Amino acid sequence: MERVLKDDAVEEKGERARMASFVGAMAIADLVKTTLGPKGMDKILQSTGRGRSVTVTNDGATILKSLHIDNPAAKVLVDISKVQDDEVGDGTTSVVVLAGELLREAEKLVNMKIHPMTIIAGFRMAAECARNALLQRTMDNKENTDKFRADLMNIAMTTLSSKILSQDKEYFAELAVDAVLRLKGSTNLEAIQILKKPGGSLKDSFLDEGFILDKKIGIGQPKRIENAKILVANTAMDTDKVKIYGARVRVDSMSKVADIEAAEKQKMREKVQKIIAHGINCFVNRQLIYNFPEELFADAGILAIEHADFEGIERLALVTGGEIASTFDNPESVKLGHCKLIEEIMIGEDRLIHFSGVEMGQACTIVLRGASEHVLDEAERSLHDALCVLSQTVNDTRVLFGGGWPEMVMAKEVDELARKTPGKKSHAIDAFSRALQAIPTTIADNAGLDSAELISQLRAEHHKENCTAGIDVITGTVGDMQKLGIQESFKVKQAILLSATEAAEMILRVDEIITCAPRRREDRM
């Protein structure tokens, strides 16, 4: 038979292809499994590139993003954790663990000679049933402000309890809830700036209204400006363009050189006068402002800030309500930013510029302090997760209990559905229920508890009406989630359930893996 594919291409069909997908996906799930739950462990990721940078993290999406993976099925799981991170911010580990467990169960069913399409049909019914079970049990306190704030605090503490900030979780939950409530229902986290400053302990972190720019105020410039009118710009302020581009000018006397320099200075002076004509008292530029323009600004009593970092300047424009300008010929079309006060503050050893009373009232800055860069990076990731979840919860105010409670509720309903369903599908539905119980099992295993004993106790508890039992990792028993205040956002749980099911479905459908050889250079001729 003629070969259709080129010599270097590899084909795997049927059973072998399916096995390769299952093994890859389960390996990825097992990798992040140990980071799940309040007692989950961290991973150190070391890059092989220059500088061998080290990341210490237990954020599922961060771990998976950093891996170089060859297995196609494993890449699907990496993708769902990325999407989970972008969409709702938390549950990145849970979604991978659940998808891995679904595939582990599916593999057993495939070995029992049940067709993958039958399994998928069963999984779909089970996922729908599980989602309805959650929908019936959600709580919604959006009418009562105090209760809703308590819900948000609980959700933030639950999210942070599996992270590096778990020691001071009440403190950071307060910070996160205050920051998110300032947004007044918007999910745009741009307005919340997180500034990392090594030194001090995590407890020294604080929330500051307004905006902090990581820059010093130049020499001989006003250190404090009230009712600031800010022009945010991205423009080159260097005069010696001629020298830079390497133009060669022949002159017959030194006075001509002086004339050229004077002409350049005059050009620059005109540009600065155009900028001053906007009636501003603060000029922030993304590029450098050299000595001469800086002198001119200082003489005019304008605070000039140079080389503001890119994100900083975009955010500053957003927060002060201005726009970034690059030409200054018609001042009437440029939108200036406003704020009540600009002053210099000290954080640790560093001087920074603080903009308070900004146009966009919801803007604020969280300043993180910590022992080292690695601690700060991880603290930022943890806080980002909490902020994402909270901002989503402010929009969709439904909450659930945590600690393995939602999985047990779903498993119980799915079990009942399996008993009612005739045919081979019931095996798949049953398998789905077992996979759901893997999340509380993993939480218990990671805390070094006897998971089999705890899960069977939980199962018995959940057969009672209106049960709120979940795993209390701290005491190592079955605890009441309502008293412990362990709550999670409904939106996160729903996203985990649906993404994991879809990913498992996608990998199950595979019956052939074709690895093509890369095109050789000479083929292009």
Side-chain angles (χ1 to χ4, degrees), residues 273-516:
Q273 268 151 8
K274 275 185 194 167
I275 292 174
I276 295 173
H278 287 66
I280 55 169
N281 49 12
C282 174
F283 176 66
V284 183
N285 191 14
R286 205 192 136 232
Q287 301 179 34
L288 290 169
I289 302 175
Y290 294 82
N291 303 4
F292 179 62
E294 201 163 41
E295 281 171 34
L296 298 176
F297 282 126
D299 292 344
I302 291 178
L303 165 63
I305 303 166
E306 62 174 6
H307 218 230
D309 57 333
F310 195 67
E311 270 200 357
I313 189 174
E314 298 236 312
R315 206 177 256 141
L316 181 65
L318 170 89
V319 165
T320 54
E323 281 172 5
I324 298 177
S326 55
T327 55
F328 310 101
D329 288 329
N330 24 358
E332 62 285 348
S333 66
V334 174
K335 204 168 161 204
L336 296 182
H338 296 278
C339 79
K340 292 207 175 86
L341 176 67
I342 301 178
E343 58 186 340
E344 195 170 53
I345 55 169
M346 293 280 290
I347 296 178
E349 305 283 296
D350 298 347
R351 292 172 177 221
L352 303 108
I353 306 173
H354 183 230
F355 296 78
S356 48
V358 289
E359 189 100 336
M360 185 177 177
Q362 51 260 60
C364 59
T365 300
I366 296 176
V367 179
L368 288 179
R369 309 297 313 273
S372 74
E373 289 289 344
H374 298 140
V375 174
L376 285 174
D377 289 345
E378 179 63 353
E380 181 189 22
R381 277 190 289 271
S382 316
L383 202 58
H384 178 260
D385 281 6
L387 291 172
C388 285
V389 176
L390 290 174
S391 69
Q392 295 288 347
T393 313
V394 171
N395 271 4
D396 183 342
T397 49
R398 292 172 290 184
V399 292
L400 300 160
F401 294 117
W405 176 86
E407 283 79 14
M408 295 310 287
V409 168
M410 294 191 277
K412 180 185 167 211
E413 290 291 322
V414 173
D415 249 350
E416 282 169 14
L417 175 70
R419 293 206 191 99
K420 293 180 209 150
T421 310
K424 287 185 177 173
K425 276 187 207 161
S426 65
H427 289 297
I429 299 173
D430 202 25
F432 196 93
S433 138
R434 283 198 299 278
L436 281 169
Q437 290 173 25
I439 289 196
T441 309
T442 309
I443 293 176
D445 281 340
N446 286 348
L449 307 172
D450 179 356
S451 58
E453 172 68 20
L454 274 174
I455 299 301
S456 49
Q457 282 178 14
L458 254 185
R459 216 153 53 280
E461 283 289 322
H462 272 268
H463 272 284
K464 299 173 188 163
E465 280 299 301
N466 296 333
C467 155
T468 55
I471 292 178
D472 178 2
V473 192
I474 311 303
T475 58
T477 52
V478 169
D480 182 353
M481 295 291 118
Q482 196 162 9
K483 281 190 195 131
L484 293 169
I486 296 177
Q487 288 180 321
E488 293 186 39
S489 158
F490 167 73
K491 199 164 179 187
V492 173
K493 273 287 167 234
Q494 174 177 293
I496 290 174
L497 179 71
L498 302 181
S499 305
T501 315
E502 281 175 16
E505 237 180 70
M506 193 171 169
I507 294 170
L508 257 174
R509 284 171 182 273
V510 174
D511 76 329
E512 186 165 357
I513 298 176
I514 303 173
T515 316
C516 291

Side-chain angles (χ1 to χ4, degrees), residues 114-230:
I114 295 178
H115 193 274
M117 281 312 174
T118 315
I119 302 175
I120 288 172
F123 277 4
R124 284 212 171 146
M125 287 168 67
E128 193 50 40
C129 164
R131 184 167 168 266
N132 292 336
L134 282 189
L135 276 170
Q136 287 159 12
R137 307 289 181 89
T138 55
M139 300 164 292
D140 198 340
N141 289 329
K142 78 170 160 230
E143 307 309 323
N144 182 336
T145 325
D146 296 343
K147 269 192 176 167
F148 184 53
R149 192 190 158 91
D151 279 353
L152 287 179
M153 277 295 292
N154 285 340
I155 287 177
M157 290 202 289
T158 306
T159 302
L160 293 173
S161 64
S162 62
K163 311 266 193 268
I164 191 169
L165 303 176
S166 58
Q167 304 306 322
D168 314 313
K169 61 183 178 198
E170 279 102 2
Y171 183 70
F172 281 100
E174 274 284 342
L175 285 189
V177 172
D178 285 344
V180 168
L181 286 178
R182 290 183 72 109
L183 292 179
K184 302 189 178 59
S186 122
T187 50
N188 178 14
L189 295 178
E190 284 282 299
I192 302 176
Q193 179 201 18
I194 298 181
L195 200 66
K196 299 179 290 194
K197 284 279 160 216
S201 69
L202 282 169
K203 255 280 164 66
D204 297 338
S205 309
F206 60 92
L207 177 77
D208 198 310
E209 66 96 26
F211 182 86
I212 297 177
L213 191 63
D214 197 350
K215 281 281 149 209
K216 291 192 182 78
I217 289 183
I219 304 194
Q221 298 193 348
K223 294 273 185 250
R224 179 188 167 92
I225 291 183
E226 290 180 12
N227 293 332
K229 296 188 189 65
I230 307 163

Side-chain angles (χ1 to χ4, degrees), residues 60-112:
T62 309
I63 296 170
L64 294 177
K65 240 187 324 211
S66 318
L67 299 178
H68 284 285
I69 297 170
D70 210 16
N71 186 299
K75 285 199 173 123
V76 173
L77 292 196
V78 174
D79 275 354
I80 56 167
S81 86
K82 252 194 206 133
V83 170
Q84 180 80 9
D85 197 28
D86 299 340
E87 190 66 20
V88 284
D90 196 23
T92 48
T93 313
S94 315
V95 71
V96 177
V97 172
L98 182 55
E101 286 304 322
L102 285 172
L103 288 170
R104 200 176 303 252
E105 294 294 336
E107 184 191 16
K108 294 176 194 161
L109 298 177
V110 170
N111 292 340
M112 286 161 58

